[in-house]
Amino acid sequence: MQRTVKESSFTTGDSFVKNLKKYAIGLIIGAACAALFMLLFSFLLTVNSIPDSMTGAFGYISMAIAAFAAGFCATLLIKSKGLLNGAIMGVLFFVLHTIVSFAAGSGSVFSVKMLIFLVVEVALATLGGILSVNVRK
């Protein structure tokens, strides 16, 4: 008789370590989207007579779209567990965003603004992860 061995989550590609490359690709795509939208919004601020008070809103919008793209693309490559992988991508994207903010010298460690960014980025990346898993069905 032949025994069938149930594959663990590590061998089926569901582990965090096996998905690191896919998370990195999602982070790169998300960072590229953030840079692209920030450039677009800065161009709009320069060309049009949009008040400078809108820069904060444009920052939130840019990061929300970028987090969605990061979660969507990473989970599209992983092909499973959209909620979990999207949330992981959102946390990783927030960590990258925080590191870049600190490197630019524009961030305090704990603030309401950073908490809002955390909630928005995790929520939108999770939404992107859920949609990417269901878009192929």
Side-chain angles (χ1 to χ4, degrees):
M1 287 194 152
Q2 188 178 13
R3 286 183 151 175
T4 58
V5 178
K6 184 178 179 185
E7 292 185 14
S8 68
S9 65
F10 185 76
T11 57
T12 59
D14 293 337
S15 75
F16 179 78
V17 176
K18 281 199 147 216
N19 292 331
L20 265 179
K21 184 177 177 182
K22 296 168 186 171
Y23 291 137
I25 291 170
L27 281 176
I28 291 168
I29 291 171
C33 283
L36 180 71
F37 277 96
M38 285 184 195
L39 283 172
L40 174 71
F41 287 138
S42 64
F43 179 73
L44 287 175
L45 284 169
T46 304
V47 174
N48 294 336
S49 60
I50 299 173
D52 289 341
S53 61
M54 292 296 294
T55 57
F58 288 156
Y60 285 115
I61 292 168
S62 297
M63 294 319 251
I65 293 170
F68 178 85
F72 187 89
C73 292
T75 309
L76 193 65
L77 294 172
I78 296 169
K79 300 177 182 172
S80 67
K81 298 182 182 175
L83 180 69
L84 176 65
N85 287 314
I88 290 171
M89 198 64 235
V91 170
L92 291 175
F93 191 76
F94 175 75
V95 168
L96 177 68
H97 176 199
T98 304
I99 290 170
V100 171
S101 294
F102 291 152
S106 64
S108 61
V109 178
F110 298 107
S111 68
V112 174
K113 185 177 179 179
M114 292 304 284
L115 181 64
I116 292 170
F117 273 121
L118 172 65
V119 170
V120 167
E121 290 174 5
V122 170
L124 269 289
T126 302
L127 180 65
I130 292 169
L131 289 178
S132 72
V133 169
N134 292 321
V135 80
R136 286 179 270 115
K137 291 182 179 181

